[in-house]
């Protein structure tokens, strides 16, 4: 068993544990590479038929290629897809910097969707190596009923022993690929032949390394036009994965504030 086999087995175990222990979970699908890998793992875990809803919290500002990808694979993979809308940016906390304020729409959109659909847990494709505050997460992460996260009040997770029972009213975030790295995601996508949005591959010397909304995401310099070239590029670069995300450059605590409020 190699490292990708081990990661796959752990993630599938977490997904099956979620189905067994969480009353009404949903799987978040942002159409990015991480959530595509997560979706692939969920299909493997349940033999091609995911037994819970797949949710896209739609800001209405994604790239056209992402919407085309979503609609195609939701149909081809027979997903039980739920699409949630987001409120306008004018309703968000005005003290947030502009890009973080725009990103906060997803938090509020998810909160409203959870309330309307009664989800008691959501499965998200975040990774510890993406961003410092995400490194503090747990696999099964309790939240308040409205989604707030207290980073100082989390259950210990030793030797893959997960706490999956929480008091009534607790909302749970589940992170099956938390231990994966960006390179793990790409190597696994290459091994499995997982479809990805073509914005991840270079055109005119640039590609998107991390996909978000059109107005707050920028491409980075790259010549990688194939998945093998992307992997080789990542093995050599020292640039941050989120270098093209505007909100990561606005203020030191903007992302931490978003996460505490329930951002994915």
């Amino acid at each position: 068993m190699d490292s990708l086999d081990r990661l796959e087995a752990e993630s599938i175990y977490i997904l099956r544990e979620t189905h067994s222990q969480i009353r009404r979970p949903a799987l978040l699908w942002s159409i990015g590479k991480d959530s595509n890998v997560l979706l692939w793992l969920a299909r493997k875990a349940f033999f091609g038929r995911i037994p819970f809803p797949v949710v896209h919290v739609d800001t209405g500002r994604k790239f056209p290629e992402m919407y085309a990808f979503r609609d195609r694979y939701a149909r081809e993979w027979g997903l039980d897809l739920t699409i949630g809308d987001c409120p306008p940016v004018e309703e968000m906390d005005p003290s947030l910097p502009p890009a973080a304020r725009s990103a906060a729409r997803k938090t509020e959109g998810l909160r409203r969707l959870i309330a309307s659909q009664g989800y008691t847990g959501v499965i998200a494709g975040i990774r510890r190596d993406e961003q410092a505050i995400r490194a503090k997460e747990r696999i099964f992460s309790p939240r308040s009923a409205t989604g707030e996260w207290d980073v100082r009040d989390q259950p210990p997770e030793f030797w893959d022993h997960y706490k999956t029972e929480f008091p009534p009213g607790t909302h749970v975030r589940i992170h099956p690929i938390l231990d994966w790295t960006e390179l793990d995601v790409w190597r696994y996508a290459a091994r499995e032949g997982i479809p990805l949005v073509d914005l991840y591959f270079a055109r005119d010397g640039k590609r998107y390394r991390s996909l978000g909304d059109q107005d707050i995401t920028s491409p980075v310099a790259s010549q990688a036009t194939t998945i093998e070239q992307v992997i080789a590029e990542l093995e050599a670069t020292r640039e941050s994965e989120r270098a093209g995300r505007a909100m990561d450059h606005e203020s030191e605590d903007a992302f931490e504030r978003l996460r505490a409020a329930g951002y994915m």
Side-chain angles (χ1 to χ4, degrees), residues 57-59 61 84-92 101-102 104-112:
V57 182
D58 188 8
T59 60
R61 294 178 179 175
D85 297 327
C86 297
V89 71
E90 291 76 16
E91 295 182 17
M92 300 300 101
R101 194 178 179 202
S102 181
R105 296 176 60 229
K106 286 179 64 178
T107 306
E108 187 55 33
L110 176 61
R111 183 178 291 138
R112 294 180 184 185

Side-chain angles (χ1 to χ4, degrees), residues 26-31 35-36 38-39 53-57 110 113 119 122-125 173 264:
L27 186 149
L28 293 178
W29 188 27
S30 70
I31 330 296
S35 66
N36 282 353
L38 179 62
L39 197 55
V54 173
V55 170
H56 180 212
V57 182
L110 176 61
L113 198 60
Y119 301 136
V122 292
I123 307 163
R173 297 284 176 86
M264 283 67 82

Side-chain angles (χ1 to χ4, degrees), residues 236-252:
T237 188
R238 300 188 68 177
E239 189 173 39
S240 164
E241 177 182 0
R242 293 179 62 90
R245 293 295 193 106
M247 65 182 181
D248 286 43
H249 308 290
E250 287 183 324
S251 69
E252 189 172 335

Side-chain angles (χ1 to χ4, degrees), residues 146-191:
T146 51
E148 287 87 359
W149 178 48
D150 184 353
V151 67
R152 296 161 299 184
D153 183 19
Q154 301 185 86
E157 290 182 335
F158 296 126
W159 302 293
D160 297 336
H161 289 274
Y162 306 124
K163 177 178 171 59
T164 58
E165 293 184 4
F166 299 99
T170 304
H171 176 76
V172 185
R173 297 284 176 86
I174 304 102
H175 306 122
I177 65 168
L178 196 60
D179 290 339
W180 293 50
T181 66
E182 184 184 14
L183 266 170
D184 291 330
V185 166
W186 278 103
R187 288 169 178 156
Y188 186 71
R191 186 183 90 170

